[in-house]
Amino acid sequence: MGLVQMGFLGALGALAIPIIVHLVFGRRARRVDLGTLRFLRIALQENVRRRRLKRWLLLAMRLACIALLALLFARPYLLAEKLSSNERLVVILLDRSASMGLKTDRGRLLDLAVAEARKIAARCGSGTQLEMACFDHAVYPLGPADDGQATQSPKELLAALDSSEPTYGSTDYGAAMAWAHDVCVQSDCGRKELYLITDMQRSGLDRTDAPAMPADVEVHLVDLGQPYPKNVAVTRLAAQKLSVRPGQTNSLDATLLNAGQFPLKKVPVILHLRCSGRQQNVRREVDLDAGATATVRFDLPALTEGLWQGVVMAEVDDELAFDNRRHIAIRAAPPLRVMLLDGDPGRSAPTAETYYLSVALRLAADEDSFAETPFEPKTTKVADGAGLPDLTATDLVVLANVESIADADAKRLARFVGGGGGLLVFGGENVLAEGYRSFEKMGISVGKILGPQRSGTMPWRIDQWDRTHPIFFPMNDPQYADLRRPAFRFRTGLEPASGTDVLAQFRDGKPAMVQRNHGRGTMLWFLSACDRDWSDWPRSRLYVPLIHQMLGHLAGLTGGGPVRNVILDDADVAGEQRPAPGVVEHDKYCEVINFRGIESETDRCSPGELAGRFKCVIDSGEEKEKASGRPVTRVAATAELRENEVWHWVLLALMGILLLESCLGNRTTL
């Protein structure tokens, strides 16, 4: 049995109180000779023996009450009745964040950390269970996860350290301490030790909460940090525009941090951009005070069409090289070319099926076009069985109430979508099953077309939609857009086929918008018309943003746009595979991956701050153990209850003895 609050055992000194009461305040009978009362004397002697026994029993109960009361406040707990085959648990947490790549006179901090881990593991004898994990903003155990496999041997764990390299993730002590807490709590080893090997970076203290370390765990700190490292970092890079038109100018701002203790003059900062053999280089100089930041602006010349990728670099020789550069990408491209195929041209422009659609895409009327619109629409009439125009110079195709698609045109559309194009289809009175048999033949059908359907006395309204889909993500807040407001008098009925995703539904549960992927491209069907014949939707404020969202999704503009900035801490993938800083190109967008800027802040915390943050006492380094072999507790006692405490049983015994003492005391005179 162990005790959480050992100091309360001092209260056992109060055991002298009942003894004093019994010795000092006990009644003494006065002897009086009354003659020859032999038989009465014999009876009195027997009564005295019974009273003496009761008094000793009463004294024992009162002593037990005081002892149990002191034991209650000392909070006893049960030790494991049987130790596991591993009588000692050693947990090693090895900091592998980006700052551990700092170079010192003795070598990289990570190399020093691996050497320290090997020394600790070498001291683990037989009967020791060794658990190791590397961490940055997440924890990466070197042993097996919860997969039922046996624990790896120390030799196998040490072999895994050979491949350890600094990551670009930032430090999070809370995540590491929470993992170590879980490992220690689940272990039944008789002795538990935790070794934290780190550079004590202050920025990792307050990111994640962790429970207090159990009171039977010895916490040891191996501090490898350097007090005054020399480091200059590019911590932020922001472009005025990530997408521009060819020939437009642009600018970007770079923020630099001098984490060292001395000011620096005229630090060279270089912007390097490249695109298909073309280059743009701009050079600046900046003065940096100690511990301060400064911003440098780069005014870019006109960029030609293409994806311009590059870096901003601080040309300085310091001890932490990973943060001297930051990546950037700028896309110079003309507006997306949208082919509008009008299946009901009408007698005049305002009555055409695609009139409102064209105005919404151009963001201007009377054939004008707003300079910032991402779309360049071109309308083509396809009535009277006319075939589709050439799609070579087209990015997106829209079918608006088109009556039929020939087999040859459906084949061209299938090839267009499979190659990465986007197809948007609107319903209408002309959209019937017979006209879209060719879609089934080409494998691009979204389901069975049921033809036009008319609502009853009440119009249909969109009631449910996929709130996680990029199309609807900006519209989830009703104060920005309410998808339930537009009223639809007619719709095109559809029974979705297998592989078709229903993105939105009308109030009666029928589909309002469906999506299907084909090859590298995507098809969307909106099951109502895009003009005013079937609904009041084109007159609502929701029309323009929803049209832009649908076509933007097909072109890769939603979900962050064609150029998306990604922070490494938020971009982890499963297992040990982690992306590195740089530019990654996808079919319709690119990702610019950079590290989190706080990892360049080299301010250090003290062991006391670390201990206070995670409610533990850091071992001073002296090995002090009792003769019994049990380790001295080096963790502050907490107010939290242990799972194996037995105070409630002590309290129950105390109440029982108090009840017996009360009954016996009422029948016994001192």
Side-chain angles (χ1 to χ4, degrees):
M1 177 180 292
L3 298 173
V4 177
Q5 303 287 359
M6 187 73 69
F8 277 99
L9 291 184
L12 292 177
L15 291 174
I17 297 176
I19 298 175
I20 295 173
V21 171
H22 277 258
L23 293 178
V24 176
F25 298 99
R27 294 183 180 181
R28 296 183 180 274
R30 186 165 58 91
R31 184 172 182 176
V32 179
D33 294 331
L34 297 178
T36 57
L37 299 175
R38 183 180 59 173
F39 297 105
L40 180 59
R41 179 178 298 176
I42 294 173
L44 290 175
Q45 288 177 351
E46 293 179 356
N47 191 26
V48 168
R49 285 194 295 268
R50 286 196 301 270
R51 287 200 305 270
R52 184 180 295 116
L53 179 61
K54 290 181 180 180
R55 286 197 297 269
W56 283 110
L57 184 59
L58 185 62
L59 175 61
M61 287 185 178
R62 290 173 178 173
L63 292 174
C65 287
I66 295 178
L68 288 175
L69 189 62
L71 191 62
L72 177 65
F73 283 98
R75 293 171 58 187
Y77 62 90
L78 294 177
L79 298 177
E81 296 181 0
K82 181 181 179 181
L83 296 180
S84 64
S85 58
N86 296 318
E87 298 180 356
R88 182 186 179 203
L89 171 67
V90 174
V91 181
I92 300 177
L93 289 175
L94 193 149
D95 188 352
R96 200 171 63 173
S97 60
S99 61
M100 292 294 286
L102 188 142
K103 297 179 180 179
T104 68
D105 295 338
R106 298 180 297 161
R108 288 189 316 169
L109 291 186
L110 182 61
D111 297 333
L112 300 178
V114 172
E116 290 293 334
R118 290 183 176 277
K119 292 178 182 178
I120 297 170
R123 295 196 298 265
C124 297
S126 60
T128 298
Q129 177 185 345
L130 180 62
E131 298 287 345
M132 300 179 63
C134 298
F135 71 93
D136 42 31
H137 64 282
V139 182
Y140 311 100
L142 298 182
D146 297 333
D147 54 4
Q149 298 180 8
T151 303
Q152 287 182 317
S153 66
K155 183 177 180 180
E156 293 173 329
L157 292 176
L158 293 175
L161 291 177
D162 293 336
S163 59
S164 294
E165 288 292 332
T167 65
Y168 294 94
S170 54
T171 308
D172 188 349
Y173 291 117
M177 296 296 281
W179 178 85
H181 170 273
D182 294 341
V183 171
C184 292
V185 168
Q186 294 172 8
S187 174
D188 59 353
C189 291
R191 179 176 177 179
K192 303 174 184 178
E193 301 176 30
L194 169 62
Y195 291 86
L196 177 62
I197 308 175
T198 179
D199 60 353
M200 300 292 291
Q201 194 169 23
R202 181 183 296 276
S203 61
L205 275 184
D206 299 323
R207 299 187 60 183
T208 304
D209 292 330
M213 197 61 62
D216 58 344
V217 178
E218 300 178 46
V219 182
H220 306 267
L221 175 64
V222 181
D223 183 4
L224 300 176
Q226 301 298 304
Y228 303 109
K230 179 183 178 182
N231 183 38
V232 175
V234 183
T235 59
R236 181 176 176 271
L237 191 58
Q240 181 182 13
K241 294 181 179 179
L242 296 177
S243 297
V244 297
R245 298 285 184 263
Q248 286 185 347
T249 59
N250 199 3
S251 65
L252 58 89
D253 295 328
T255 301
L256 281 80
L257 167 68
N258 178 12
Q261 301 297 312
F262 303 99
L264 300 174
K265 299 294 184 181
K266 295 184 177 181
V267 176
V269 186
I270 298 176
L271 168 65
H272 175 70
L273 291 175
R274 65 186 183 280
C275 176
S276 301
R278 297 161 287 173
Q279 294 186 4
Q280 295 282 359
N281 295 288
V282 184
R283 182 186 178 91
R284 295 284 186 270
E285 291 182 344
V286 62
D287 295 335
L288 293 170
D289 293 332
T293 60
T295 300
V296 180
R297 167 157 290 192
F298 294 92
D299 294 319
L300 303 181
L303 299 177
T304 56
E305 184 176 350
L307 180 65
W308 290 83
Q309 307 178 32
V311 295
V312 170
M313 298 181 296
E315 286 194 338
V316 60
D317 184 18
D318 58 15
E319 298 171 351
L320 195 60
F322 86 96
D323 56 6
N324 289 3
R325 59 174 56 200
R326 204 165 184 88
H327 294 265
I328 187 69
I330 299 174
R331 178 176 176 267
L336 294 169
R337 294 155 296 190
V338 184
M339 178 70 69
L340 303 180
L341 303 179
D342 196 331
D344 186 10
R347 297 183 179 180
S348 60
T351 61
E353 189 78 22
T354 58
Y355 173 76
Y356 292 99
L357 187 59
S358 177
V359 172
L361 295 179
R362 290 185 284 107
L363 296 177
D366 301 328
E367 300 301 325
D368 292 335
S369 182
F370 181 51
E372 299 298 326
T373 180
F375 304 107
E376 182 182 341
K378 179 181 179 181
T379 303
T380 301
K381 301 177 182 179
V382 293
D384 301 328
L388 300 183
D390 183 19
L391 304 178
T392 303
T394 302
D395 299 304
L396 300 167
V397 174
V398 179
L399 303 181
N401 197 17
V402 175
E403 182 174 0
S404 63
I405 301 294
D407 290 351
D409 292 335
K411 185 176 182 180
R412 293 169 54 200
L413 284 175
R415 189 183 307 113
F416 170 76
V417 175
L423 173 64
L424 175 60
V425 181
F426 286 98
E429 65 274 8
N430 295 333
V431 180
L432 303 174
E434 293 76 10
Y436 287 82
R437 302 290 185 192
S438 57
F439 274 36
E440 298 181 12
K441 298 178 182 178
M442 297 298 112
I444 57 175
S445 173
V446 295
K448 181 179 179 181
I449 300 176
L450 305 178
Q453 297 177 348
R454 183 170 184 171
S455 65
T457 56
M458 299 294 294
W460 288 303
R461 297 183 188 274
I462 296 176
D463 184 62
Q464 298 181 14
W465 59 90
D466 184 357
R467 296 180 179 272
T468 63
H469 197 276
I471 292 178
F472 304 111
F473 186 76
M475 305 178 183
N476 287 334
D477 193 338
Q479 67 177 333
Y480 296 124
D482 189 356
L483 290 174
R484 296 182 175 91
R485 290 187 64 86
F488 298 88
R489 300 181 300 274
F490 294 87
R491 71 185 180 194
T492 296
L494 179 73
E495 293 182 359
S498 176
T500 300
D501 299 323
V502 178
L503 304 183
Q505 295 176 325
F506 291 109
R507 189 165 296 173
D508 61 352
K510 302 299 182 181
M513 184 188 302
V514 298
Q515 170 185 290
R516 180 167 182 174
N517 297 324
H518 179 71
R520 294 166 46 211
T522 305
M523 297 176 292
L524 278 178
W525 280 61
F526 190 85
L527 299 171
S528 188
C530 58
D531 63 355
R532 294 175 53 185
D533 292 344
W534 278 19
S535 68
D536 64 352
W537 176 41
R539 294 185 296 178
S540 71
R541 291 180 295 179
L542 189 63
Y543 186 78
V544 172
L546 188 54
I547 290 295
H548 277 245
Q549 283 295 112
M550 287 191 290
L551 287 174
H553 171 64
L554 295 176
L557 302 183
T558 58
V563 179
R564 306 177 185 182
N565 289 317
V566 178
I567 300 299
L568 271 169
D569 286 12
D570 306 324
D572 274 0
V573 294
E576 288 294 314
Q577 298 178 354
R578 303 176 187 86
V583 179
V584 180
E585 295 187 54
H586 300 275
D587 287 339
K588 299 179 181 179
Y589 65 93
C590 72
E591 291 180 332
V592 182
I593 304 175
N594 283 299
F595 60 91
R596 192 175 293 274
I598 60 174
E599 192 62 12
S600 299
E601 301 172 5
T602 55
D603 292 343
R604 288 163 37 81
C605 65
S606 66
E609 290 175 310
L610 184 68
R613 175 69 178 84
F614 300 109
K615 303 179 182 65
C616 64
V617 172
I618 304 298
D619 176 53
S620 62
E622 299 179 358
E623 295 295 334
K624 299 178 180 179
E625 297 186 0
K626 296 182 179 180
S628 61
R630 296 292 301 163
V632 177
T633 302
R634 310 185 198 279
V635 181
T638 66
E640 299 180 2
L641 293 178
R642 297 171 56 99
E643 295 181 358
N644 52 354
E645 287 191 32
V646 294
W647 62 267
H648 46 285
W649 295 109
V650 177
L651 180 61
L652 184 61
L654 176 61
M655 298 300 294
I657 293 179
L658 283 175
L659 181 61
L660 292 176
E661 189 273 342
S662 177
C663 295
L664 186 60
N666 292 335
R667 292 169 174 79
T668 305
T669 58
L670 298 176

